[in-house]
Amino acid sequence: MGTVFSATIVHQQPRYARQAAQAAFAELERLEGRLSRFIEASDISRINRLKPGQATTVQMDTFDCLQIALRIQEETGGAFDVAYASCGPASSVRFTLDERDHAVRVLAAGVRLDLGGIGKGFALDRMAALLSEWEIGCALLCAGNSTVLGTASPPDLPGWPVIIGTEPDCRRVDLVRGAVS
């Protein structure tokens, strides 16, 4: 996904925490293989090579992430556009999703999908869900310097201290069971 991910886990058994972190990063690697535009065999790269009218079946993770991206695009009135790097006017529909076949059909020439922050957030959500399955309740997951997800508060703190912005206009947020991007 073109960025560095990190995890801070609080648990009484360090070895168990390391194993849970390894599982979370294995999940990240699996997702990156599907969602990254930088990996030639990924679902996103395959979509980006399609010509108008062509379709490809994608993994359920990819399909779910694209559904979220389209919902966010609609909710923001197009301010977020997963196909921002595409040729042609942004107002046109560039691709459709087929729920029955989990397929993506390209409708215009030059479609270029880039999941960006949506992909990073999606990956962090999946990593957090996996850590929860491991009964890891206290973690801070970061995707680069732009996207952070915190679960329960670390011991003796009101939340995970996250700084938003740059000096002199930065602001501290105590992140608990939420994310910022």
Side-chain angles (χ1 to χ4, degrees), residues 13-27:
Q13 297 176 354
R15 184 173 179 197
Y16 185 81
R18 275 193 299 280
Q19 290 172 336
Q22 288 172 342
F25 280 101
E27 173 69 356

Side-chain angles (χ1 to χ4, degrees), residues 78-122:
F80 174 82
D81 182 1
V82 71
Y84 75 93
S86 301
C87 301
S91 60
S92 64
V93 177
R94 297 181 176 124
F95 68 97
T96 59
L97 301 177
D98 179 340
E99 186 104 26
R100 186 179 57 111
D101 295 329
H102 300 123
V104 178
R105 179 171 304 280
V106 168
L107 303 177
V111 169
R112 296 293 173 263
L113 303 184
D114 182 348
L115 294 170
I118 294 290
K120 289 189 276 186
F122 185 83

Side-chain angles (χ1 to χ4, degrees), residues 28 33 53 56 59 83 85 98 100 112 121 127 136-137:
L28 171 64
T56 186
Q59 296 292 327
D98 179 340
R100 186 179 57 111
R112 296 293 173 263
M127 291 172 73
I136 300 290

